[in-house]
Amino acid sequence: MKIYGYARVSSHDQNLQRQMDAFKEFGIDEKNIFYDKKSGKNFERKNYQRLIRKLKNGDLVVVKSIDRLGRNYSAIIREWKKITDKLKANIFVMDMPLLDTRMADGSLTNRLVSDLVLQILSFVAENERRNIIDRQREGIQAARRRGVQFGRPKEVYSPYFISVINDFDTGKITMKEASDKLNKNRTTIYYHLAKIKNYNEN
């Protein structure tokens, strides 16, 4: 039997350390820890899928909390069943000891309690994901009403920059001269030339 840890955060600037520390304390070998920095809305995650392919009968998957496994109610239930019923592996959720399939004694009561807890926590995880999306949408709408602009800022060209670009475009100077004057490479020169010409035409 092998013990694996699975950790997840939603974005690259979030920290995995709390989950990693919990796995270390549990005694999981570092080489058996898989993690993804991706949304929990589905299970199309590279390292989660690598973990699933490694699982054998009797192995154990440890997660810190159910929302680290995922945030989509139906997908969590489906993956849970795949791991426990199809692959015959076990799952332990550290923050909710009731969700530990190793403890199941086959009784109807224990199975019912475990299933109910799983469904409730899965629902809470998805509901929180939807709330986060709603709060982000409301924040963006409020910012737009205040005049905040989103997206890549528009290019602002100095008169000197435009003069050099125009000199190159009309053949007064070479590409090398334009590149040296602006400290830009060939591709960038053509990019800005197209932008300036498009602006002038409009």
Side-chain angles (χ1 to χ4, degrees):
M1 182 197 84
K2 288 187 177 181
I3 302 176
Y4 298 97
Y6 179 72
R8 184 191 64 79
V9 290
S10 295
S11 62
H12 285 275
D13 59 353
Q14 290 181 305
N15 199 325
L16 287 158
Q17 196 58 51
R18 187 174 70 91
Q19 296 173 74
M20 296 301 188
D21 289 344
F23 294 151
K24 184 177 180 181
E25 187 175 336
F26 193 83
I28 302 175
D29 192 316
E30 188 174 339
K31 72 176 184 294
N32 288 333
I33 297 175
F34 294 79
Y35 67 87
D36 287 298
K37 293 189 173 185
K38 197 167 183 181
S39 165
K41 66 182 179 180
N42 60 51
F43 284 84
E44 296 304 313
R45 307 175 216 136
K46 180 180 177 180
N47 287 320
Y48 175 80
Q49 294 300 329
R50 283 182 59 218
L51 168 61
I52 290 298
R53 289 193 294 271
K54 282 183 172 289
L55 287 180
K56 300 289 189 296
N57 191 326
D59 287 346
L60 175 65
V61 178
V62 180
V63 293
K64 185 72 173 69
S65 58
I66 197 68
D67 62 336
R68 297 306 88 199
L69 186 62
R71 284 188 178 274
N72 179 297
Y73 173 79
S74 59
I76 292 172
I77 302 297
R78 184 173 60 252
E79 290 298 312
W80 187 280
K81 298 295 184 185
K82 178 198 293 183
I83 292 171
T84 59
D85 293 345
K86 182 179 178 181
L87 302 176
K88 305 298 182 185
N90 286 302
I91 306 177
F92 172 49
V93 180
M94 301 179 79
D95 287 353
M96 181 53 64
L98 277 173
L99 291 179
D100 184 353
T101 60
R102 298 171 301 171
M103 305 297 291
D105 60 6
S107 72
L108 184 60
T109 301
N110 278 3
R111 184 65 181 265
L112 177 62
V113 170
S114 180
D115 285 352
L116 284 173
V117 172
L118 173 62
Q119 292 193 39
I120 291 169
L121 291 179
S122 301
F123 171 79
V124 169
E126 176 166 354
N127 197 54
E128 177 59 19
R129 182 178 72 89
R130 291 181 177 181
N131 287 339
I132 290 171
I133 292 172
D134 287 343
R135 287 195 295 270
Q136 289 173 337
R137 185 182 299 116
E138 289 168 1
I140 291 171
Q141 289 173 347
R144 281 178 173 156
R145 285 195 294 270
R146 296 195 305 271
V148 176
Q149 298 294 319
F150 292 91
R152 186 173 178 174
K154 293 181 179 179
E155 301 282 359
V156 177
Y157 298 110
S158 69
Y160 174 74
F161 193 101
I162 293 174
S163 173
V164 172
I165 290 291
N166 285 336
D167 284 348
F168 165 69
D169 188 38
T170 57
K172 292 181 180 177
I173 60 175
T174 66
M175 167 61 77
K176 186 179 185 311
E177 289 173 320
S179 181
D180 290 342
K181 287 175 180 288
L182 300 176
N183 194 28
K184 304 288 185 185
N185 63 33
R186 179 186 184 91
T187 302
T188 306
I189 294 286
Y190 278 118
Y191 166 79
H192 290 297
L193 171 60
K195 295 249 327 181
I196 290 171
K197 290 180 76 171
N198 183 62
Y199 176 80
N200 290 337
E201 289 170 0
N202 292 334

